[in-house]
Amino acid sequence: EIVLTQSPATLSLSPGERATLSCRASQSVSSSLGWYQQKPGQPPRLLIYDASNRATGIPARFSGSGSGTDFTLTISSLEPEDFAVYFCQQRSKWRTFGQGTKVEIK
Amino acid sequence: EVQVVESGGGLVQPGGSLRLSCAASGFTLSTYWMAWHRQAPGKRLEFVANIRPDGNEINYVDSVKGRFTISRDNAKNSLYLQMNSLRGEDTAVYYCSKDVLGGYFEHWGQGTLVTVSS
């Protein structure tokens, strides 16, 4: 099983700041990695697929990069609605999710 | 508007059964792979099963093989998960979603809670 490890567990930032979230895979997943946002009481929402492609309707402030085992989700300037938990997910072998990074208001 | 709504969760004793349903609207179910996931308290999301549009290809996570059955009724725009021989570790919120782009998940429902306890 491919294990995805996200860091940090919690990121405390202010609106307008840049957020950088990391996801590391236990083996190469090529570019087969996505990112999701989940707010309390809501289901996950797909943000990024295949490492760097924004899903439909996702604002340009969200960007993804990386390949192989190391991936990054960047939120260029945090909006109030961006404070949430973010998960990564790989589709290279089966489907597995990371444990999540919480982006909280500082 | 695309919407998926899960139902059928509840409290069940170990060894019991439940059937979850997922009602889809705003899109044609018959053109999409669909999936079930779960999230146990304090644990990461887990992909449980998926099913091809025609129902002829199905995949399960090892921990549910032989106990859970995913199915669909495209005429009713519905997805199902029959869960038998339930265990405590099956306690989770269960979500359905579209399975898109070769293995990512869009349009998740709000989830339905399954609690396995005596």
Side-chain angles (χ1 to χ4, degrees), chain A residues 7-89:
Chain A
S7 62
T10 304
L11 200 52
S12 298
L13 295 168
S14 300
E17 288 194 295
R18 182 184 189 89
T20 304
L21 289 67
S22 175
C23 178
R24 177 164 288 178
S26 59
Q27 59 185 273
S28 177
V29 299
S30 186
S31 295
S32 298
L33 187 114
W35 291 92
Y36 297 79
Q37 177 193 68
Q38 187 174 28
K39 297 179 182 179
Q42 295 186 22
R45 178 173 70 143
L46 179 66
L47 300 174
I48 300 287
Y49 66 93
D50 288 348
S52 60
N53 298 287
R54 274 189 300 277
T56 303
I58 301 304
R61 64 181 181 273
F62 292 92
S63 63
S65 63
S67 66
T69 61
D70 290 298
F71 299 86
T72 300
L73 174 70
T74 301
I75 310 170
S76 59
S77 177
L78 283 163
E79 297 287 339
E81 62 268 28
D82 298 337
F83 292 92
V85 177
Y86 293 83
F87 300 96
C88 53
Q89 176 243 319

Coordinates of all heavy atoms in Angstrom, one line a residue, chain A residues 7-89:
Chain A
S7 N 2.6 17.1 5.7 CA 3.1 18.0 6.7 C 2.9 19.4 6.3 O 2.8 19.7 5.1 CB 4.6 17.6 6.9 OG 5.3 17.9 5.7
P8 N 2.9 20.3 7.3 CA 2.7 20.0 8.7 C 1.3 19.5 9.1 O 0.5 19.5 8.2 CB 3.0 21.3 9.4 CG 2.4 22.3 8.4 CD 2.7 21.7 7.1
A9 N 1.1 19.0 10.3 CA -0.2 18.6 10.7 C -1.2 19.8 10.8 O -2.3 19.7 10.4 CB -0.2 17.9 12.1
T10 N -0.6 20.9 11.3 CA -1.4 22.2 11.4 C -0.5 23.3 10.9 O 0.7 23.4 11.2 CB -1.8 22.4 12.8 OG1 -2.6 21.3 13.3 CG2 -2.7 23.7 12.9
L11 N -1.2 24.2 10.2 CA -0.5 25.4 9.7 C -1.3 26.6 10.1 O -2.5 26.7 9.8 CB -0.5 25.3 8.1 CG 0.5 26.2 7.3 CD1 1.9 26.0 7.8 CD2 0.3 25.8 5.8
S12 N -0.7 27.5 10.9 CA -1.4 28.7 11.5 C -1.0 29.9 10.7 O 0.2 30.3 10.8 CB -1.1 28.8 12.9 OG -1.6 27.7 13.7
L13 N -1.9 30.5 10.0 CA -1.6 31.6 9.1 C -2.7 32.6 9.2 O -3.8 32.4 9.6 CB -1.4 31.1 7.6 CG -0.2 30.2 7.4 CD1 -0.4 29.6 6.0 CD2 1.1 30.9 7.5
S14 N -2.4 33.8 8.7 CA -3.4 34.9 8.6 C -3.9 35.0 7.2 O -3.2 34.7 6.2 CB -2.7 36.2 9.0 OG -2.2 36.1 10.4
P15 N -5.1 35.6 7.0 CA -5.6 35.8 5.7 C -4.7 36.7 4.9 O -4.0 37.6 5.5 CB -6.9 36.6 6.0 CG -7.4 36.1 7.3 CD -6.1 35.9 8.1
G16 N -4.5 36.4 3.6 CA -3.6 37.1 2.8 C -2.2 36.5 2.7 O -1.4 36.7 1.8
E17 N -1.9 35.6 3.7 CA -0.6 34.9 3.7 C -0.6 33.7 2.7 O -1.6 33.2 2.3 CB -0.2 34.4 5.1 CG 0.2 35.6 6.0 CD 0.9 35.0 7.3 OE1 0.2 34.3 8.0 OE2 2.0 35.3 7.5
R18 N 0.6 33.3 2.4 CA 0.8 32.2 1.5 C 0.9 30.9 2.3 O 1.6 30.8 3.3 CB 2.1 32.4 0.7 CG 2.5 31.3 -0.3 CD 3.8 31.6 -0.9 NE 4.2 30.8 -2.0 CZ 3.9 31.1 -3.3 NH1 3.3 32.2 -3.6 NH2 4.4 30.3 -4.3
A19 N 0.2 29.8 1.8 CA 0.2 28.5 2.5 C 0.9 27.5 1.6 O 0.6 27.4 0.4 CB -1.2 28.1 2.8
T20 N 1.8 26.7 2.2 CA 2.5 25.7 1.5 C 2.4 24.4 2.2 O 2.8 24.3 3.4 CB 4.0 26.1 1.3 OG1 4.1 27.3 0.7 CG2 4.7 25.0 0.5
L21 N 1.7 23.4 1.6 CA 1.4 22.2 2.2 C 2.2 21.1 1.5 O 2.3 21.1 0.2 CB -0.1 21.9 2.2 CG -1.1 22.6 3.1 CD1 -1.1 24.1 2.7 CD2 -2.4 22.0 3.0
S22 N 2.6 20.1 2.2 CA 3.4 19.0 1.6 C 2.8 17.7 1.7 O 2.1 17.4 2.7 CB 4.8 19.0 2.3 OG 5.6 17.9 1.9
C23 N 3.0 16.8 0.7 CA 2.5 15.4 0.7 C 3.7 14.6 0.2 O 4.2 14.8 -0.9 CB 1.3 15.3 -0.1 SG 0.6 13.6 -0.3
R24 N 4.1 13.6 1.0 CA 5.1 12.7 0.5 C 4.6 11.3 0.4 O 4.0 10.8 1.4 CB 6.3 12.8 1.5 CG 7.4 11.8 1.2 CD 8.7 12.2 2.0 NE 9.3 13.4 1.4 CZ 10.4 14.0 1.9 NH1 11.0 13.5 3.0 NH2 10.8 15.1 1.4
A25 N 4.9 10.6 -0.7 CA 4.4 9.2 -0.9 C 5.5 8.2 -0.6 O 6.7 8.5 -0.7 CB 4.0 9.1 -2.4
S26 N 5.1 7.1 -0.1 CA 6.1 6.1 0.3 C 6.8 5.4 -0.8 O 7.8 4.7 -0.7 CB 5.4 5.0 1.2 OG 4.4 4.4 0.5
Q27 N 6.3 5.5 -2.0 CA 6.9 5.1 -3.3 C 6.4 6.0 -4.4 O 5.4 6.7 -4.2 CB 6.7 3.7 -3.6 CG 5.2 3.3 -3.7 CD 5.0 1.8 -3.9 OE1 5.1 1.3 -5.0 NE2 4.8 1.1 -2.8
S28 N 7.0 6.0 -5.5 CA 6.7 6.9 -6.6 C 5.2 6.7 -7.0 O 4.8 5.6 -7.3 CB 7.6 6.8 -7.8 OG 7.2 7.6 -8.8
V29 N 4.5 7.8 -7.2 CA 3.2 7.8 -7.8 C 3.1 8.6 -9.1 O 2.1 8.9 -9.6 CB 2.1 8.3 -6.8 CG1 2.1 7.5 -5.5 CG2 2.3 9.8 -6.5
S30 N 4.3 8.8 -9.6 CA 4.4 9.6 -10.9 C 3.7 11.0 -10.6 O 4.1 11.7 -9.7 CB 3.8 8.9 -12.0 OG 4.0 9.6 -13.2
S31 N 2.8 11.3 -11.5 CA 2.0 12.6 -11.2 C 0.6 12.3 -10.8 O -0.3 13.2 -10.9 CB 2.0 13.4 -12.5 OG 3.3 13.9 -12.8
S32 N 0.3 11.1 -10.3 CA -1.0 10.6 -10.0 C -1.5 11.0 -8.6 O -1.8 10.1 -7.8 CB -1.1 9.1 -10.3 OG -0.9 8.8 -11.6
L33 N -1.5 12.3 -8.4 CA -1.8 12.8 -7.0 C -2.8 13.9 -7.1 O -2.6 14.8 -7.9 CB -0.5 13.2 -6.3 CG -0.8 13.5 -4.8 CD1 -0.1 12.5 -3.9 CD2 -0.5 15.0 -4.5
G34 N -3.7 13.9 -6.2 CA -4.7 15.0 -6.1 C -4.8 15.6 -4.7 O -4.2 15.0 -3.8
W35 N -5.4 16.7 -4.7 CA -5.6 17.4 -3.4 C -7.1 17.8 -3.2 O -7.8 18.1 -4.2 CB -4.8 18.7 -3.4 CG -3.3 18.6 -3.3 CD1 -2.5 18.5 -4.4 CD2 -2.5 18.5 -2.2 NE1 -1.2 18.4 -4.0 CE2 -1.2 18.4 -2.6 CE3 -2.8 18.5 -0.8 CZ2 -0.1 18.3 -1.7 CZ3 -1.7 18.4 0.1 CH2 -0.4 18.3 -0.4
Y36 N -7.5 17.7 -2.0 CA -8.9 18.0 -1.6 C -9.0 18.9 -0.4 O -8.1 19.0 0.4 CB -9.7 16.7 -1.2 CG -9.8 15.6 -2.2 CD1 -8.7 14.8 -2.5 CD2 -10.9 15.4 -3.0 CE1 -8.8 13.8 -3.5 CE2 -11.0 14.5 -3.9 CZ -10.0 13.7 -4.2 OH -10.1 12.7 -5.2
Q37 N -10.1 19.7 -0.4 CA -10.3 20.6 0.7 C -11.6 20.0 1.5 O -12.5 19.6 0.8 CB -10.6 22.0 0.2 CG -11.0 23.0 1.3 CD -11.6 24.2 0.6 OE1 -12.7 24.2 0.1 NE2 -10.9 25.3 0.7
Q38 N -11.5 20.0 2.8 CA -12.7 19.6 3.6 C -13.0 20.6 4.7 O -12.1 20.8 5.5 CB -12.6 18.2 4.1 CG -13.9 17.7 4.8 CD -13.8 16.2 5.2 OE1 -12.7 15.7 5.5 NE2 -14.9 15.5 5.2
K39 N -14.1 21.1 4.8 CA -14.5 22.0 5.8 C -15.4 21.2 6.8 O -16.0 20.2 6.4 CB -15.3 23.2 5.3 CG -14.4 24.1 4.3 CD -15.2 25.2 3.8 CE -14.4 26.0 2.8 NZ -15.1 27.2 2.2
P40 N -15.5 21.7 8.1 CA -16.2 20.9 9.1 C -17.7 20.7 8.6 O -18.4 21.6 8.2 CB -16.2 21.9 10.3 CG -14.9 22.7 10.1 CD -14.8 22.9 8.7
G41 N -18.1 19.5 8.8 CA -19.5 19.1 8.4 C -19.8 19.0 6.9 O -20.9 18.9 6.5
Q42 N -18.7 19.2 6.1 CA -18.9 19.1 4.7 C -18.1 18.0 4.1 O -17.1 17.6 4.7 CB -18.5 20.4 4.0 CG -19.4 21.6 4.4 CD -19.0 22.9 3.6 OE1 -18.4 22.8 2.5 NE2 -19.4 24.0 4.2
P43 N -18.5 17.5 2.9 CA -17.7 16.4 2.3 C -16.4 17.1 1.6 O -16.4 18.3 1.4 CB -18.6 15.9 1.2 CG -19.5 17.0 0.9 CD -19.7 17.8 2.1
P44 N -15.5 16.2 1.2 CA -14.3 16.7 0.5 C -14.6 17.3 -0.8 O -15.6 16.9 -1.4 CB -13.4 15.5 0.4 CG -13.9 14.6 1.5 CD -15.3 14.8 1.6
R45 N -13.8 18.3 -1.3 CA -14.0 18.9 -2.6 C -12.7 18.7 -3.3 O -11.6 19.1 -2.8 CB -14.3 20.4 -2.5 CG -14.5 21.1 -3.8 CD -15.0 22.5 -3.7 NE -14.1 23.4 -3.1 CZ -13.9 24.7 -3.4 NH1 -14.7 25.2 -4.4 NH2 -13.1 25.5 -2.8
L46 N -12.7 18.2 -4.5 CA -11.5 18.1 -5.3 C -11.0 19.4 -5.8 O -11.7 20.2 -6.4 CB -11.8 17.2 -6.6 CG -10.6 16.9 -7.5 CD1 -9.5 16.1 -6.9 CD2 -11.1 16.2 -8.8
L47 N -9.7 19.7 -5.5 CA -9.1 20.9 -5.9 C -8.1 20.8 -7.1 O -8.2 21.5 -8.0 CB -8.2 21.5 -4.7 CG -8.9 21.8 -3.4 CD1 -7.9 22.2 -2.4 CD2 -10.0 22.9 -3.6
I48 N -7.3 19.8 -7.0 CA -6.2 19.6 -7.9 C -6.1 18.1 -8.3 O -6.3 17.2 -7.4 CB -4.8 19.9 -7.3 CG1 -4.8 21.4 -6.8 CG2 -3.6 19.6 -8.2 CD1 -4.7 22.4 -8.0
Y49 N -5.9 17.8 -9.6 CA -5.7 16.4 -10.0 C -4.4 16.3 -10.8 O -4.0 17.3 -11.4 CB -6.9 15.8 -10.7 CG -7.2 16.5 -12.0 CD1 -6.7 16.0 -13.2 CD2 -8.0 17.7 -12.1 CE1 -7.0 16.6 -14.4 CE2 -8.3 18.3 -13.3 CZ -7.8 17.7 -14.5 OH -8.0 18.4 -15.7
D50 N -3.9 15.1 -10.9 CA -2.6 14.8 -11.6 C -1.6 15.9 -11.3 O -0.9 16.4 -12.1 CB -2.9 14.8 -13.1 CG -3.6 13.5 -13.5 OD1 -3.7 12.5 -12.6 OD2 -4.1 13.4 -14.6
A51 N -1.4 16.1 -10.0 CA -0.4 17.0 -9.4 C -0.6 18.5 -9.6 O -0.3 19.2 -8.6 CB 1.0 16.5 -9.8
S52 N -1.0 18.9 -10.7 CA -0.9 20.3 -11.0 C -2.1 20.9 -11.8 O -2.1 22.1 -12.1 CB 0.3 20.7 -11.8 OG 0.3 20.0 -13.0
N53 N -3.1 20.1 -12.0 CA -4.3 20.5 -12.8 C -5.5 20.9 -11.8 O -5.9 20.1 -11.0 CB -4.8 19.4 -13.7 CG -3.8 19.1 -14.7 OD1 -3.5 19.8 -15.7 ND2 -3.1 17.9 -14.6
R54 N -5.9 22.2 -12.0 CA -7.0 22.6 -11.1 C -8.3 22.0 -11.6 O -8.6 21.9 -12.8 CB -7.2 24.1 -11.1 CG -6.3 24.8 -10.1 CD -6.7 26.3 -10.0 NE -6.5 27.0 -11.3 CZ -5.3 27.4 -11.8 NH1 -4.2 27.3 -11.0 NH2 -5.2 28.0 -12.9
A55 N -9.1 21.5 -10.7 CA -10.5 21.0 -11.0 C -11.4 22.1 -11.4 O -11.1 23.3 -11.2 CB -11.0 20.2 -9.8
T56 N -12.5 21.8 -12.0 CA -13.5 22.7 -12.5 C -13.9 23.7 -11.4 O -14.3 23.2 -10.3 CB -14.7 22.0 -13.1 OG1 -14.3 21.2 -14.1 CG2 -15.7 23.1 -13.6
G57 N -13.8 25.0 -11.6 CA -14.3 26.0 -10.7 C -13.4 26.3 -9.5 O -13.8 27.1 -8.7
I58 N -12.2 25.8 -9.5 CA -11.2 26.0 -8.5 C -10.5 27.3 -8.8 O -9.9 27.4 -9.8 CB -10.3 24.8 -8.2 CG1 -11.1 23.6 -7.9 CG2 -9.3 25.2 -7.1 CD1 -12.0 23.7 -6.7
P59 N -10.4 28.2 -7.8 CA -9.7 29.5 -8.1 C -8.2 29.4 -8.3 O -7.6 28.4 -7.9 CB -9.9 30.3 -6.8 CG -11.1 29.6 -6.1 CD -11.0 28.2 -6.5
A60 N -7.7 30.3 -9.1 CA -6.3 30.2 -9.5 C -5.3 30.4 -8.3 O -4.1 30.1 -8.5 CB -6.0 31.3 -10.6
R61 N -5.8 30.8 -7.2 CA -4.8 30.9 -6.0 C -4.4 29.6 -5.5 O -3.4 29.5 -4.8 CB -5.4 31.7 -4.9 CG -6.7 31.1 -4.2 CD -7.2 32.0 -3.1 NE -8.3 31.5 -2.5 CZ -9.6 31.7 -2.9 NH1 -9.8 32.4 -3.9 NH2 -10.6 31.1 -2.2
F62 N -5.1 28.5 -5.9 CA -4.7 27.1 -5.6 C -3.8 26.6 -6.7 O -4.2 26.6 -7.9 CB -5.9 26.2 -5.4 CG -6.8 26.5 -4.2 CD1 -7.8 27.4 -4.3 CD2 -6.5 26.0 -3.0 CE1 -8.6 27.7 -3.2 CE2 -7.2 26.3 -1.9 CZ -8.3 27.1 -2.0
S63 N -2.6 26.1 -6.3 CA -1.8 25.5 -7.3 C -1.1 24.2 -6.7 O -0.8 24.2 -5.5 CB -0.8 26.4 -7.9 OG 0.1 26.9 -6.9
G64 N -0.8 23.3 -7.6 CA -0.1 22.1 -7.2 C 1.1 21.8 -8.0 O 1.2 22.2 -9.1
S65 N 2.1 21.2 -7.3 CA 3.4 20.9 -8.0 C 3.9 19.6 -7.5 O 3.5 19.1 -6.4 CB 4.4 22.0 -7.9 OG 4.7 22.2 -6.5
G66 N 4.9 19.1 -8.2 CA 5.6 17.9 -7.7 C 5.4 16.7 -8.6 O 4.5 16.7 -9.5
S67 N 6.2 15.7 -8.4 CA 6.1 14.4 -9.1 C 6.9 13.4 -8.4 O 7.8 13.7 -7.6 CB 6.5 14.5 -10.6 OG 7.9 14.7 -10.6
G68 N 6.7 12.1 -8.6 CA 7.4 11.1 -8.0 C 6.9 10.8 -6.5 O 5.8 10.2 -6.4
T69 N 7.6 11.3 -5.6 CA 7.2 11.1 -4.2 C 6.9 12.4 -3.4 O 6.4 12.3 -2.3 CB 8.3 10.3 -3.4 OG1 9.5 11.1 -3.4 CG2 8.5 9.0 -4.0
D70 N 7.3 13.5 -3.9 CA 7.1 14.8 -3.2 C 6.2 15.8 -3.9 O 6.5 16.1 -5.1 CB 8.5 15.4 -2.9 CG 9.3 14.6 -1.9 OD1 8.8 14.5 -0.8 OD2 10.4 14.1 -2.3
F71 N 5.2 16.3 -3.2 CA 4.2 17.1 -3.8 C 3.9 18.3 -2.9 O 4.0 18.2 -1.7 CB 2.9 16.3 -4.1 CG 3.1 15.2 -5.0 CD1 3.5 13.9 -4.6 CD2 2.9 15.3 -6.4 CE1 3.7 12.9 -5.4 CE2 3.1 14.3 -7.3 CZ 3.5 13.1 -6.8
T72 N 3.5 19.4 -3.5 CA 3.1 20.6 -2.8 C 1.8 21.2 -3.3 O 1.6 21.3 -4.5 CB 4.3 21.6 -2.9 OG1 5.5 21.1 -2.5 CG2 3.9 22.9 -2.1
L73 N 1.0 21.6 -2.3 CA -0.2 22.4 -2.6 C 0.1 23.8 -2.1 O 0.5 24.0 -0.9 CB -1.4 21.9 -1.9 CG -2.7 22.7 -2.1 CD1 -3.2 22.7 -3.5 CD2 -3.8 22.3 -1.1
T74 N 0.0 24.8 -2.9 CA 0.2 26.2 -2.5 C -1.1 27.0 -2.7 O -1.8 26.9 -3.7 CB 1.3 26.8 -3.4 OG1 2.5 26.1 -3.3 CG2 1.6 28.3 -3.0
I75 N -1.4 27.7 -1.7 CA -2.5 28.7 -1.7 C -1.8 30.1 -1.7 O -1.2 30.4 -0.7 CB -3.5 28.5 -0.6 CG1 -3.9 27.1 -0.5 CG2 -4.7 29.4 -0.8 CD1 -4.7 26.8 0.8
S76 N -1.9 30.8 -2.8 CA -1.0 32.0 -2.9 C -1.3 33.1 -1.9 O -0.4 33.8 -1.4 CB -1.1 32.5 -4.3 OG -2.4 32.9 -4.6
S77 N -2.6 33.3 -1.6 CA -3.0 34.3 -0.7 C -4.3 33.9 -0.1 O -5.4 33.8 -0.7 CB -3.3 35.7 -1.4 OG -3.7 36.7 -0.6
L78 N -4.3 33.5 1.2 CA -5.4 32.9 1.9 C -6.6 33.8 2.0 O -6.5 34.9 2.5 CB -5.0 32.4 3.3 CG -4.1 31.1 3.3 CD1 -3.5 31.0 4.7 CD2 -5.0 29.9 3.1
E79 N -7.7 33.3 1.6 CA -9.0 33.9 1.8 C -9.7 33.3 3.0 O -9.4 32.2 3.4 CB -9.9 33.7 0.5 CG -9.4 34.3 -0.8 CD -9.5 35.8 -0.8 OE1 -10.3 36.4 0.0 OE2 -8.7 36.4 -1.6
P80 N -10.6 34.0 3.6 CA -11.2 33.5 4.8 C -11.9 32.1 4.6 O -11.8 31.3 5.6 CB -12.3 34.5 5.1 CG -11.8 35.8 4.6 CD -11.0 35.4 3.3
E81 N -12.4 31.8 3.4 CA -13.0 30.5 3.2 C -12.0 29.4 3.0 O -12.4 28.3 2.8 CB -14.0 30.7 2.0 CG -13.3 31.0 0.7 CD -13.3 32.5 0.4 OE1 -13.3 33.3 1.4 OE2 -13.3 32.9 -0.8
D82 N -10.7 29.7 2.9 CA -9.7 28.7 2.7 C -9.3 28.0 3.9 O -8.5 27.0 3.9 CB -8.5 29.3 2.0 CG -8.8 29.9 0.6 OD1 -9.8 29.5 0.0 OD2 -8.1 30.8 0.2
F83 N -9.7 28.4 5.1 CA -9.3 27.8 6.3 C -10.1 26.5 6.5 O -11.3 26.5 6.6 CB -9.5 28.7 7.5 CG -8.5 29.9 7.4 CD1 -8.8 31.1 6.8 CD2 -7.2 29.7 7.9 CE1 -7.9 32.1 6.7 CE2 -6.3 30.7 7.8 CZ -6.6 31.9 7.2
A84 N -9.4 25.4 6.4 CA -10.0 24.1 6.3 C -8.9 23.0 6.4 O -7.8 23.3 6.7 CB -10.7 23.9 4.9
V85 N -9.3 21.7 6.2 CA -8.4 20.6 6.2 C -8.2 20.2 4.8 O -9.1 20.2 4.0 CB -8.9 19.4 7.0 CG1 -7.9 18.2 6.9 CG2 -9.1 19.8 8.5
Y86 N -6.9 20.0 4.4 CA -6.5 19.6 3.1 C -5.9 18.2 3.1 O -5.1 17.9 3.9 CB -5.5 20.6 2.5 CG -6.2 22.0 2.3 CD1 -6.3 22.9 3.3 CD2 -6.7 22.3 1.1 CE1 -6.9 24.1 3.2 CE2 -7.3 23.5 0.9 CZ -7.4 24.4 1.9 OH -8.1 25.6 1.8
F87 N -6.4 17.3 2.1 CA -5.9 16.0 2.0 C -5.3 15.8 0.6 O -5.8 16.3 -0.4 CB -7.1 15.0 2.1 CG -7.9 15.0 3.3 CD1 -9.1 15.7 3.4 CD2 -7.5 14.3 4.4 CE1 -9.8 15.7 4.6 CE2 -8.2 14.3 5.6 CZ -9.4 15.0 5.7
C88 N -4.3 14.9 0.6 CA -3.8 14.5 -0.7 C -4.3 13.0 -0.9 O -4.7 12.4 0.0 CB -2.3 14.5 -0.8 SG -1.3 13.7 0.5
Q89 N -4.3 12.6 -2.2 CA -4.8 11.3 -2.5 C -4.1 10.8 -3.8 O -3.9 11.6 -4.7 CB -6.3 11.3 -2.8 CG -6.9 10.0 -3.3 CD -7.5 10.1 -4.7 OE1 -8.1 11.0 -5.1 NE2 -7.3 9.0 -5.5

